Amino acid sequence: ARKGISSAVSFPLITRSGVNGHGRNVHHLFNYSAPPRTVKYPFASGTSLLDSQKLVKGAPVTVEPWGVVIGID
């Protein structure tokens, strides 16, 4: 693992997943802290619903302070 990028998601990062009305998996990665947090994206590769960026399983993703990354695969 690259220094400073964890493969495990733990508090203050919280994950939640579900299935939307179209049967697609939706994943939320919340940062409950003031500093930004970078972690390896733990879900299947997909697209960020907030900025249309590609999200790749195992690639670094940064969650802004008190922010959220929402991915759909």
Side-chain angles (χ1 to χ4, degrees):
R2 288 179 28 197
K3 186 173 176 118
I5 301 175
S6 174
S7 59
V9 176
S10 61
F11 191 83
L13 292 175
I14 302 293
T15 62
R16 294 290 181 263
S17 295
V19 178
N20 69 12
H22 299 285
R24 297 184 68 191
N25 295 316
V26 180
H27 308 287
H28 299 76
L29 185 56
F30 298 95
N31 179 6
Y32 286 100
S33 68
R37 302 286 176 159
T38 300
V39 67
K40 291 180 182 177
Y41 189 67
F43 309 110
S45 296
T47 304
S48 168
L49 290 179
L50 299 178
D51 61 11
S52 299
Q53 296 296 309
K54 190 86 168 147
L55 297 169
V56 178
K57 182 177 176 100
V61 62
T62 299
V63 187
E64 295 302 321
W66 307 106
V68 63
V69 170
I70 304 171
I72 189 165
D73 55 55

